[in-house]
Amino acid sequence: MKKLLILLIFSFFSVQSFAGSCPDGSEPVKSVSADGSYYVYHCGNSNNEQASSSTTNSKALAGIDIVNDPNIDFFKPPQKPYPTGKLYWFGRMWQMTDFNKDGFSDVLYIGTMNPNNVDMIGVDTGGICGGGACKGNKPLPSLFLGDAEGKLTYVPHLLIDKREDSGMSLGRQILVADYNNDSILDFYIADTAVGTHNGFRDSYFLSQSNSTWLESSKTHLSHSNFEVFDHGAATGDIDNDGDMDVVITETNWKTGTALWCLINDGTGYLNKRKCGGIFSFALELADIDGDGDLDVLLGAHEFEKSIDFTGIVWNDGRGNFNKHNNTRLPQHKKKWGSVPEVSAADLDNDGDLDIVYSRAGVLYVGTAIQVIENLGNKKFKDHGIIPLVEAPDDFIPTHEGNEWNDFIEDIRFRDLDKDGDIDLYLSSSMSLKTDGMVLLNQGDFAFELLLPNVAKKYVTIDYKAPAPVSEEQKAEEQAVLDEIAAFETALEAELGQ
């Protein structure tokens, strides 16, 4: 895999409009900088050489900028490399980036615990364990480091979680960003919980000086055991102060709470506060109106009247999202009313972000993609539905885990065919039908759908999946971990004296 070109600093430069005019009263001309990372504004020629100028304005960094960094070598990751198939019951979501800054792409997985009290009732994940909380050992995230040969190596010793009830219940979103500003990427995990719709406390791993990541909720979250059904979550600098914040959803009819914003103080400490919004399932942060701050993209559960807002809530510039300052986007509730994911990218190279929704039917029967064009000035055009999987018309589901259950969990953006425009890579950890599908951008919002086996032409599969570990290797690894644990205990005792 290719070495990375670390140009993250340039993502802070603006794509927003120039505020002002040239000395002669004319409007400045916008052009792209030499390296293509920001816009430059030039005044026309005049008799006074000093009349010429260029200006850049800062813009807020969003999580989608990190996820879709074109300098990260991108490939199709293994769906369940050992031991994730044993650690996680379902929902193995992943994030690809260079966590250890060695120039090679790494992969981080999260998922759902394997409960020991499974008792299926009801129609969704809220009834998997008899209507109560699922019990059993909770797995940690799984980090695989890449190398020059394309090999992924499982490194469980680098992720440390010292909480008494460690691990995840149902890891729903991985929010990767440099929260503690040490130039190493950290990650926040939104945990919706399996067995109830009450949520489970989230996990927050910060990079350490010894090249590990420590679960730091107790020291770096204002409410370390805060439980909320955060089906949607995103990261970005919502208050434009230069550090990365976290936004999570809630559906609380008693308090009317829709969004919680976890505001970063610059050191990675996140202070929780309500910040407006509208009830939703899917959430992303993106500067949709090009004014330099991040707006909230929301996706509804349109089959339910109480969670039926699909659209944008605009940022007031200070990280607040007044529910009345919004723009609704077209719905497709008759057949595709579930919206598990949303993202944004410039699909037509016009300088603004267009919107892509992942959609599914009742109880996640079938899946589709909706593409919405940003026309500017808060105007949008719906380019309709691209079906990916469709059930027979007479199919009636009785549970989410049905034979036509499918949905796109993640939408990645890359120029896969190297033709100068952005294509879509679709990820679904629970479906061989759709995982690895590609939508090739043909221009003018026309897309060619490629099934996973055909998409291999454009998506490299150059990793070497880790082989199962022998019992002897497991014993050796456990001995090393025990030795490390004993050393840490002795060190803590010595420091305590």
Side-chain angles (χ1 to χ4, degrees):
M1 289 183 274
K2 301 185 295 291
K3 284 282 185 176
L4 302 184
L5 300 175
I6 306 300
L7 299 174
L8 188 58
I9 186 172
F10 293 120
S11 63
F12 287 95
F13 291 105
S14 177
V15 297
Q16 67 184 31
S17 299
F18 179 85
S21 60
C22 297
D24 62 359
S26 65
E27 291 297 320
V29 177
K30 182 173 72 173
S31 63
V32 180
S33 66
D35 64 1
S37 61
Y38 57 96
Y39 289 127
V40 179
Y41 296 83
H42 294 281
C43 290
N45 294 329
S46 67
N47 294 330
N48 184 354
E49 291 182 358
Q50 294 182 349
S52 178
S53 64
S54 65
T55 302
T56 60
N57 298 316
S58 63
K59 78 156 188 169
L61 182 68
I64 54 174
D65 300 322
I66 298 172
V67 169
N68 298 307
D69 182 355
N71 299 304
I72 298 294
D73 193 28
F74 183 78
F75 55 90
K76 182 178 180 178
Q79 193 175 58
K80 48 180 180 181
Y82 182 87
T84 60
K86 293 184 177 181
L87 290 176
Y88 310 134
W89 188 10
F90 60 84
R92 289 171 297 277
M93 302 182 74
W94 54 270
Q95 176 67 275
M96 181 183 296
T97 191
D98 183 9
F99 282 99
N100 60 349
K101 296 190 70 174
D102 65 351
F104 305 106
S105 294
D106 313 309
V107 185
L108 178 69
Y109 293 84
I110 60 174
T112 305
M113 66 182 289
N114 278 296
N116 58 24
N117 63 328
V118 174
D119 179 17
M120 298 285 190
I121 65 171
V123 298
D124 56 31
T125 55
I128 282 180
C129 295
C134 289
K135 299 178 181 179
N137 294 327
K138 299 180 180 65
L140 266 63
S142 298
L143 178 61
F144 293 80
L145 297 181
D147 63 17
E149 298 178 354
K151 180 182 178 182
L152 291 174
T153 301
Y154 179 49
V155 286
H157 59 284
L158 296 185
L159 305 186
I160 301 170
D161 188 345
K162 296 183 178 180
R163 293 174 295 184
E164 183 177 350
D165 187 15
S166 63
M168 302 171 290
S169 175
L170 193 163
R172 180 65 183 85
Q173 299 280 0
I174 315 174
L175 309 181
V176 174
D178 180 13
Y179 294 107
N180 57 5
N181 287 310
D182 65 351
S183 299
I184 302 292
L185 292 172
D186 316 293
F187 53 97
Y188 184 101
I189 299 172
D191 198 324
T192 66
V194 61
T196 74
H197 291 316
N198 300 324
F200 187 67
R201 55 103 182 101
D202 295 340
S203 299
Y204 185 36
F205 286 82
L206 292 176
S207 56
Q208 305 296 302
S209 59
N210 62 355
S211 300
T212 65
W213 285 263
L214 176 66
E215 204 296 316
S216 303
S217 294
K218 186 174 181 180
T219 57
H220 284 77
L221 293 182
S222 61
H223 293 77
S224 60
N225 290 306
F226 179 59
E227 294 185 354
V228 60
F229 184 63
D230 44 1
H231 191 279
T235 186
D237 183 8
I238 64 171
D239 51 4
N240 273 317
D241 64 351
D243 52 44
M244 297 294 280
D245 312 299
V246 169
V247 181
I248 58 178
T249 62
E250 183 177 12
T251 308
N252 191 327
W253 289 274
K254 293 182 180 180
T255 65
T257 305
L259 297 181
W260 289 98
C261 290
L262 283 57
I263 303 300
N264 197 336
D265 70 351
T267 69
Y269 184 86
L270 302 180
N271 191 32
K272 176 176 67 72
R273 65 169 171 82
K274 296 181 181 181
C275 52
I278 302 172
F279 289 164
S280 64
F281 263 32
L283 179 148
E284 189 54 89
L285 293 169
D287 184 8
I288 300 299
D289 55 359
D291 65 351
D293 55 42
L294 299 178
D295 309 301
V296 166
L297 274 171
L298 299 179
H301 196 59
E302 294 169 358
F303 299 123
E304 295 185 26
K305 292 183 179 180
S306 57
I307 321 175
D308 69 346
F309 178 85
T310 295
I312 307 160
V313 184
W314 304 102
N315 193 333
D316 68 354
R318 298 182 299 275
N320 301 300
F321 306 95
N322 188 307
K323 66 180 181 180
H324 300 295
N325 185 19
N326 71 73
T327 298
R328 285 185 174 268
L329 294 174
Q331 297 191 351
H332 292 270
K333 66 174 62 180
K334 184 176 181 179
K335 183 174 181 179
W336 304 107
S338 295
V339 186
E341 188 59 89
V342 59
S343 195
D346 184 2
L347 299 177
D348 54 355
N349 287 325
D350 66 349
D352 57 33
L353 295 177
D354 308 296
I355 301 166
V356 180
Y357 280 107
S358 162
R359 287 186 169 272
V362 174
L363 296 179
Y364 293 94
V365 172
T367 189
I369 291 293
Q370 177 189 14
V371 179
I372 298 176
E373 180 182 359
N374 187 344
L375 301 175
N377 297 316
K378 298 184 179 181
K379 302 295 183 182
F380 302 90
K381 179 180 179 180
D382 183 17
H383 286 272
I385 290 292
I386 303 173
L388 305 179
V389 173
E390 294 186 271
D393 292 338
D394 59 353
F395 178 74
I396 300 176
T398 58
H399 195 278
E400 280 186 355
N402 59 76
E403 60 265 42
W404 288 98
N405 181 289
D406 208 322
F407 70 96
I408 299 303
E409 299 166 335
D410 287 299
I411 305 163
R412 319 288 185 184
F413 299 99
R414 294 289 194 286
D415 183 6
L416 297 174
D417 55 3
K418 310 300 181 185
D419 66 348
D421 53 31
I422 296 297
D423 308 301
L424 283 68
Y425 177 87
L426 309 178
S427 174
S428 177
S429 69
M430 293 180 285
S431 171
L432 294 176
K433 299 175 186 175
T434 54
D435 187 50
M437 275 186 172
V438 164
L439 288 172
L440 283 185
N441 193 340
Q442 305 298 305
D444 197 26
F445 289 90
F447 297 89
E448 179 184 0
L449 174 62
L450 302 182
L451 299 180
N453 61 328
V454 180
K456 292 177 183 179
K457 177 180 178 181
Y458 299 102
V459 183
T460 306
I461 306 179
D462 59 357
Y463 61 83
K464 296 178 181 178
V469 181
S470 68
E471 293 302 320
E472 182 179 356
Q473 289 174 310
K474 290 179 185 178
E476 291 177 355
E477 182 180 275
Q478 187 59 51
V480 172
L481 295 176
D482 291 343
E483 185 177 344
I484 293 173
F487 172 77
E488 290 178 343
T489 301
L491 181 61
E492 289 178 359
E494 183 177 342
L495 294 176
Q497 295 176 357

